[in-house]
């Protein structure tokens, strides 16, 4: 189905749902500010799931009434953002303090080795009721992981698959076990992962955002 057709259908479905929109899941859709703003205006929205969506901006989150923003689940998987992702996460964190599940997944990298804790440090603050966190493919290190464990005392599950800069052992592992956190480790199986789990091992020819990628031809939306 043509991308513009999917875009128009998604916008029409959101408009018709109005304040009764409870859940939205979209893949391979361009999420412009106008569309995201309409989605977030629903006072009933509990779950927003975006996968392989492009042009996501933080502008629509700014100045949103907290009562009108997500109360349960937010998934941003393999998406591209117009802003720096750290800035985007700061906006999401301020707008969604009541999240119970947050998935912020991307592609795993073994090479080139890049250590980056800024996203984890932002996520670690001001989400007091978060129970489930998925950071598939994130570049955080043990510094970011410790901040997350110290900040979220009610965490029940943590997915760190393909987070190859993390070494979960010693006090970090003991903390997870003592708190009965269900933990998925960096090298754990991805057989149940619903998206492409191809690891970047230094092959620059692979690009999941190329429009001739067969995956990009498969676009889905549903309410």
């Amino acid at each position: 189905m043509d991308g513009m057709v999917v875009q128009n259908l998604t916008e029409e479905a959101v408009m018709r749902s109005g304040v009764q929109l409870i859940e939205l899941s979209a893949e391979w859709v361009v999420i412009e500010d106008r569309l995201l703003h309409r989605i977030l205006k629903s006072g009933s929205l509990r779950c927003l799931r975006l996968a392989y969506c492009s042009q996501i901006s933080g502008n629509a989150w700014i100045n949103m009434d907290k009562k009108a923003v997500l109360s349960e689940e937010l998934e941003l998987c393999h998406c591209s953002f117009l802003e720096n992702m750290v800035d985007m996460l700061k906006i999401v964190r301020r707008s969604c303090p009541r999240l119970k599940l947050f998935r912020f997944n991307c592609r795993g990298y073994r090479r080139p080795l890049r250590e980056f804790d800024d996203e984890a440090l932002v996520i670690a603050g001001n989400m007091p009721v978060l129970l489930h966190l998925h950071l598939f493919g994130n570049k955080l290190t043990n510094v970011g992981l410790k901040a997350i464990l110290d900040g979220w005392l009610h965490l029940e599950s943590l997915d760190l698959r393909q987070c190859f800069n993390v070494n979960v052992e010693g006090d970090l592992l003991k903390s997870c076990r003592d708190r009965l956190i269900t933990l998925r480790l960096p090298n754990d199986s991805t057989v149940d992962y619903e998206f492409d789990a191809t690891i970047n091992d230094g092959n620059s020819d692979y690009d999941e955002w190329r429009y001739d990628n067969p995956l990009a031809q498969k676009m889905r939306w549903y309410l």
Side-chain angles (χ1 to χ4, degrees):
M1 185 181 295
D2 180 79
M4 185 57 66
V5 173
V6 175
Q7 177 86 8
N8 293 337
L9 288 173
T10 304
E11 291 191 16
E12 182 178 353
V14 170
M15 289 181 64
R16 290 186 177 184
S17 299
V19 296
Q20 301 302 316
L21 181 63
I22 296 175
E23 178 179 349
L24 175 68
S25 179
E27 297 185 18
W28 296 106
V29 176
V30 175
I31 305 295
E32 298 175 342
D33 280 356
R34 180 184 59 174
L35 177 56
L36 183 56
H37 188 269
R38 286 175 177 169
I39 293 169
L40 296 176
K41 282 176 64 177
S42 173
S44 304
L45 188 64
R46 294 201 303 263
C47 175
L48 176 61
R49 176 182 179 273
L50 304 177
Y52 294 104
C53 292
S54 61
Q55 298 186 27
I56 298 177
S57 168
N59 293 333
W61 299 84
I62 298 175
N63 298 323
M64 290 295 297
D65 185 338
K66 291 181 180 179
K67 293 181 180 179
V69 183
L70 303 169
S71 61
E72 293 186 10
E73 300 179 7
L74 174 61
E75 302 186 25
L76 302 173
C77 299
H78 302 272
C79 293
S80 69
F81 303 89
L82 294 179
E83 286 94 353
N84 178 287
M85 279 193 283
V86 172
D87 294 334
M88 175 73 183
L89 287 173
K90 289 179 180 178
I91 296 171
V92 170
R93 185 190 66 185
R94 291 196 301 267
S95 302
C96 307
R98 296 177 294 159
L99 282 181
K100 296 178 182 178
L101 180 148
F102 184 39
R103 298 183 75 196
F104 186 61
N105 294 353
C106 58
R107 187 177 171 214
Y109 281 77
R110 288 189 190 275
R111 294 187 297 271
L113 178 63
R114 297 183 181 129
E115 297 181 350
F116 189 65
D117 281 307
D118 290 13
E119 294 168 1
L121 295 176
V122 169
I123 293 171
N126 200 33
M127 289 185 183
V129 298
L130 194 73
L131 300 176
H132 308 285
L133 177 65
H134 299 242
L135 292 176
F136 192 105
N138 199 273
K139 299 178 180 64
L140 82 164
T141 70
N142 283 17
V143 173
L145 176 57
K146 185 178 186 303
I148 288 172
L149 294 175
D150 289 345
W152 294 335
L153 301 180
H154 303 291
L155 200 63
E156 295 180 0
S157 67
L158 178 60
D159 190 343
L160 297 171
R161 284 178 293 176
Q162 296 194 7
C163 297
F164 296 118
N165 296 328
V166 168
N167 186 14
V168 187
E169 60 181 17
D171 290 341
L172 289 176
L173 182 59
K174 183 177 185 300
S175 176
C176 292
R177 288 177 173 173
D178 289 346
R179 292 162 55 180
L180 302 179
I181 296 174
T182 300
L183 192 62
R184 306 293 296 271
L185 296 172
N187 291 303
D188 281 358
S189 172
T190 60
V191 68
D192 61 341
Y193 188 62
E194 68 266 46
F195 304 117
D196 181 14
T198 304
I199 300 171
N200 188 329
D201 277 321
N203 180 9
S204 60
D205 292 335
Y206 182 95
D207 183 356
E208 66 184 5
W209 281 102
R210 288 177 55 191
Y211 286 101
D212 60 349
N213 187 323
L215 288 175
Q217 310 305 319
K218 185 174 67 174
M219 305 180 68
R220 298 184 295 160
W221 68 275
Y222 60 89
L223 295 176

